[in-house]
Amino acid sequence: MSPAPHTQLLVGGRIYSASAPDATAMAVTDGTIVWVGQDRPGRALHPDAEIVDLHGAFVAPGFVDTHVHTTSHGLALTGLDLTDAVDREDALRRVRAHADAHDDAVIWGHGWDETRWPDPTPPTTADLDAAAPARLVYLGRIDAHSAAASSALRAAAEPLDELDGFDPQQP
C-alpha cells in the first residue's frame, strides 16, 4: 500500500504566479505545486495540509521548459552547423562555402549565437544575399526563436511585410 500524499500549504507569503497575481499561498503535494491563491481559500481547500508560514517571504515556483523544437533538431542533423562560429563573418564564410559546395533547395543553417561574438550583430538579409546570391537561406539562432533569412526565402514566403514584427533586414 502506498503512503498517503503529503501536502504542505505555504501561507503568508508573496507567491509569483501569472494566473494568480495576488497569491499569498501555495499548496505542494509530494513535491508538486497543486494550487496557488490566497491564504483563506487555501486553508479551506487543504484542511489537512501541514501549514508553513512564510512570514512575507517571496516564492517563485520552479520553472520547467517542456517544449521541444523537433523540426529544428532534425534540421540540425543535416544542415549547416554554426554553433561554433566565432563571429558574424565566420558564420557568413561558412554559408558561402556551403552554398558553393551544395545545391540544396534551401540552405538550413542553425546554432549561431551573436551573444558570444565580439560584435554581437546578427546576420542580416543583406549579409545572406551577399554570401549566397539568389539562394533560399534560413539561419536559425541557437535558441530556435529567431532566424535570419535571405531575400529569396523571404520572397518565397510573402507577404511577410504584413506580419507583426517584420523587419526587412533583421532576424
Side-chain angles (χ1 to χ4, degrees):
M1 177 178 226
S2 61
H6 176 72
T7 299
Q8 292 180 307
L9 181 63
L10 289 70
V11 298
R14 295 175 296 127
I15 312 294
Y16 172 80
S17 169
S19 63
D22 58 348
T24 58
M26 178 172 72
V28 180
T29 300
D30 294 332
T32 301
I33 299 168
V34 295
W35 179 86
V36 176
Q38 301 242 330
D39 288 9
R40 188 170 176 181
R43 290 176 187 274
L45 290 169
H46 305 279
D48 298 325
E50 171 192 350
I51 303 297
V52 177
D53 192 338
L54 296 173
H55 302 286
F58 177 76
V59 175
F63 296 97
V64 178
D65 184 356
T66 59
H67 77 282
V68 176
H69 295 267
T70 308
T71 302
S72 296
H73 182 68
L75 292 171
L77 297 175
T78 60
L80 173 59
D81 184 2
L82 300 171
T83 54
D84 60 350
V86 296
D87 58 25
R88 188 170 109 227
E89 291 308 315
D90 182 31
L92 294 171
R93 271 191 299 278
R94 293 170 189 221
V95 170
R96 192 173 300 109
H98 187 89
D100 289 345
H102 299 86
D103 63 352
D104 308 351
V106 178
I107 296 172
W108 296 100
H110 59 87
W112 57 273
D113 182 1
E114 81 288 357
T115 65
R116 296 183 303 127
W117 297 346
D119 172 7
T121 303
T124 65
T125 296
D127 291 335
L128 300 184
D129 291 349
R135 299 287 299 271
L136 304 177
V137 181
Y138 180 91
L139 301 185
R141 194 176 177 285
I142 188 97
D143 61 6
H145 285 272
S146 64
S150 66
S151 292
L153 183 61
R154 288 173 181 256
E158 288 188 315
L160 293 176
D161 59 345
E162 297 174 9
L163 299 175
D164 287 340
F166 171 76
D167 184 297
Q169 287 296 322
Q170 297 299 321

